[in-house]
Amino acid sequence: MKIETRAIHLGHEIDPGTGAIAPPIYLTTTYERDADGTYPRGHVYSRLSNPNRQSLEKAIAGLEGGTVAATFSSGLAAIMSLFQSLSAGDHVIASQDLYHGTTKILKEIFGPWNLEASFVDTTVESEVAQAVRGNTKLVFLETPSNPTLKITDIKAISGIAHSVGAHCVCDNTWATPILQRPLELGADLVIHSTTKYFGGHSDVLGGAVVGKTDDTFFQRLRLIQQIGGAVPSPFDCWLVSRGLQTLPCRIRNHSENALKIAEFLNQHPRVERVYYPGLPGHPGYKIARQQMSMFGGMLSFQVLGDQKSALAVTGRVKIIARATSLGGVESLIEHRSSIEGPESTTPNNLLRFSVGLENVEDLIADLEQALAL
Ligand SMILES: *Cc1c(COP(=O)(O)O)cnc(C)c1O
C-alpha cells in the first residue's frame, strides 16, 4: 500500500467490540488478569503498554519503514532514551547544527555521566570519518538541521558509522517519512518530535524512536521507556495518531508553500540570506534532491541589518504568529538566537519560519508588508 493509505489505516483498526471507526481512548491504568493469574489480552499496566500507544507505535514504525517504535512524552524524552541506552565511556558523534535541546542533553546531562560527544559538521564526510573512535557507538544526525537547514548525506554517514559498528540515528522531525526515509538510506534508528508535524496542530507534546530492527540496542531502549516511564498519555497518543492520518497531504502543502516563500524572500532586497534546501543556491540542494521528495515546510532567513531589524520584522507580522515550535497548521515566526540562549551561534538577524497551511499569497503579502521599511 502507498503511504497515504498507510497513514490513514495503520494502527486504526475498527474497534471489534463496538464497530467504532474512530478509536476509543483507553484511560485505564491497569488491566484485569484471568482467574489463573495470566494476562491473556496482553496489557498489564499502562506505563508498560496501552492500546493507544500500541496503535501509534505501529503506525509510526510502518510509515518510517521500521519494524519497531517506542513513543515518549516529548521529543527530548525520546532523545534522552537513546543516550540512556549507551554506557559511560561510550562516544557519540553529533551534528554541530542540531536542535539546541539535543546539544544541551549531550553536554549538560550526559557529559557529567562520562558519555563523550564530538560535535562535527556532518555535511563534510571527512570530518565524521576523522571523529570516529574505537568506542564510537552512535552517530546522531539531523537533516535538514535546525535552524540553518544543513543537509547531511544520510547514506554516506551511515556507512561511516557502520564501519566501526556504531548505530546511525537520524532526527527526521523536519522532513517526516513523507519526504525522507532514513532507514531506507542506511540509518538504524529514526527520532521524531511528534509535537511537530506528526501532531500537526500545536496541541500535543510527544516523541518517538523507530528501529530498523528489534536489536539489543532497541530492546534496551524499550526497557528505558517502560521502566524510565517518560511515556505519552493515551490521549496524547490518540491526538498524534489522528494527526498522522493527514500527514501526507499536510506535508506536501507545507512544502509547496515554503518553496514559494523561499523564492519570494530570496529576491527581496531586505533579505540577506535564505536557508531552504529547495533553492538551487543552497549548498545541500543536490543531496536534498536525492534523499528528499520535497523540501519541507521549514526555512530560515537573515534580515538585512542586525537583531533589531530582524525583531522589527516579527513585530509587524499580522497573520503569522510570533512563537517558537513548528509543524502546526498555522505559520510561526521566531527570532532564533534569543530562544537558544547566550551560547547560541545562530546569527542574531536570523528568523526561523514554520510555514503553515494558510493561502501562500496571504503569507507572502504579510511578509511583504512586514519587510517594508
Ligand atoms: C522540537 C524538536 C525536538 C524536541 O522535541 P520536543 O517535543 O520539543 O521535546 C527535537 N528535534 C527537533 C528537530 C525538533 O524540532
Side-chain angles (χ1 to χ4, degrees):
M1 280 193 292
K2 301 276 194 285
I3 200 144
E4 296 79 5
T5 315
R6 284 190 281 138
I8 287 172
H9 292 289
L10 267 182
H12 277 267
E13 285 78 24
I14 293 172
D15 182 48
T18 61
I21 298 288
I25 304 171
Y26 293 89
L27 292 176
T28 187
T29 54
T30 191
Y31 302 81
E32 193 188 26
R33 294 187 186 202
D34 265 7
D36 64 359
T38 60
Y39 284 100
R41 291 168 291 273
H43 301 290
V44 175
Y45 182 65
S46 274
R47 172 163 38 71
L48 303 174
S49 73
N50 67 65
N52 294 103
R53 201 165 92 209
Q54 209 168 39
S55 299
L56 176 62
E57 291 177 349
K58 185 175 168 185
I60 294 177
L63 290 178
E64 281 289 359
T67 55
V68 274
T71 52
F72 292 86
S73 53
S74 71
L76 285 184
I79 291 169
M80 280 287 284
S81 77
L82 191 75
F83 299 133
Q84 284 169 331
S85 304
L86 299 172
S87 304
D90 287 347
H91 175 241
V92 174
I93 298 173
S95 301
Q96 260 162 5
D97 196 50
L98 276 185
Y99 177 72
H100 66 116
T102 308
T103 309
K104 233 184 174 135
I105 283 182
L106 278 169
K107 287 188 177 163
E108 292 179 25
I109 299 180
F110 289 97
W113 285 86
N114 200 22
L115 183 75
E116 292 178 276
S118 306
F119 295 91
V120 304
D121 183 352
T122 53
T123 68
V124 183
E125 280 168 53
S126 59
E127 280 206 24
V128 180
Q130 276 163 21
V132 158
R133 303 187 199 156
N135 59 342
T136 304
K137 292 286 159 63
L138 212 65
V139 179
F140 190 103
L141 312 175
E142 186 179 300
T143 182
S145 70
N146 196 343
T148 61
L149 292 112
K150 289 194 173 139
I151 301 294
T152 292
D153 185 335
I154 299 169
K155 200 169 173 182
I157 302 304
S158 303
I160 297 171
H162 295 160
S163 70
V164 288
H167 278 66
C168 182
V169 188
C170 182
D171 185 331
N172 204 27
T173 300
W174 282 28
T176 82
I178 309 309
L179 305 183
Q180 165 176 287
R181 282 194 287 283
L183 301 179
E184 290 171 10
L185 295 163
D188 305 282
L189 297 148
V190 164
I191 290 282
H192 277 282
S193 166
T194 59
T195 311
K196 314 296 170 54
Y197 290 107
F198 279 19
H201 296 75
S202 308
D203 55 10
V204 59
L205 283 173
V209 184
V210 186
K212 191 175 200 164
T213 57
D214 195 11
D215 60 6
T216 52
F217 184 91
F218 195 89
Q219 283 159 13
R220 184 156 177 80
L221 192 142
R222 175 71 75 194
L223 178 83
I224 288 161
Q225 177 206 32
Q226 294 179 324
I227 305 303
V231 293
S233 76
F235 185 48
D236 291 349
C237 294
W238 189 92
L239 282 171
V240 176
S241 289
R242 182 169 73 166
L244 282 180
Q245 294 186 296
T246 52
L247 184 69
C249 61
R250 283 188 288 110
I251 287 292
R252 280 182 205 126
N253 200 331
H254 281 295
S255 299
E256 281 167 17
N257 282 0
L259 179 61
K260 286 185 188 144
I261 289 170
E263 284 165 350
F264 161 77
L265 291 170
N266 207 29
Q267 52 73 48
H268 198 285
R270 291 208 59 223
V271 174
E272 180 185 323
R273 183 169 171 190
V274 180
Y275 300 83
Y276 188 66
L279 293 176
H282 185 282
Y285 177 68
K286 215 178 123 216
I287 293 164
R289 279 194 52 164
Q290 284 165 13
Q291 67 187 18
M292 301 175 80
S293 57
M294 291 174 91
F295 304 100
M298 292 299 298
L299 60 89
S300 294
F301 61 102
Q302 283 172 265
V303 177
L304 209 61
D306 54 12
Q307 168 154 338
K308 235 178 106 204
S309 323
L311 281 169
V313 173
T314 67
R316 285 193 290 261
V317 289
K318 295 192 169 100
I319 301 170
I320 304 161
R322 287 176 293 276
T324 192
S325 198
L326 60 114
V329 293
E330 61 289 298
S331 291
L332 304 177
I333 198 161
E334 79 165 331
H335 181 252
R336 194 66 194 159
S337 64
S338 49
I339 198 104
E340 290 181 340
E343 283 156 44
S344 168
T345 53
T346 300
N348 68 5
N349 61 349
L350 182 139
L351 299 179
R352 197 184 76 174
F353 188 13
S354 172
V355 179
L357 300 179
E358 299 92 342
N359 183 286
V360 70
E361 286 166 27
D362 291 337
L363 293 176
I364 288 176
D366 198 19
L367 285 169
E368 180 102 71
Q369 65 80 25
L371 282 162
L373 275 176

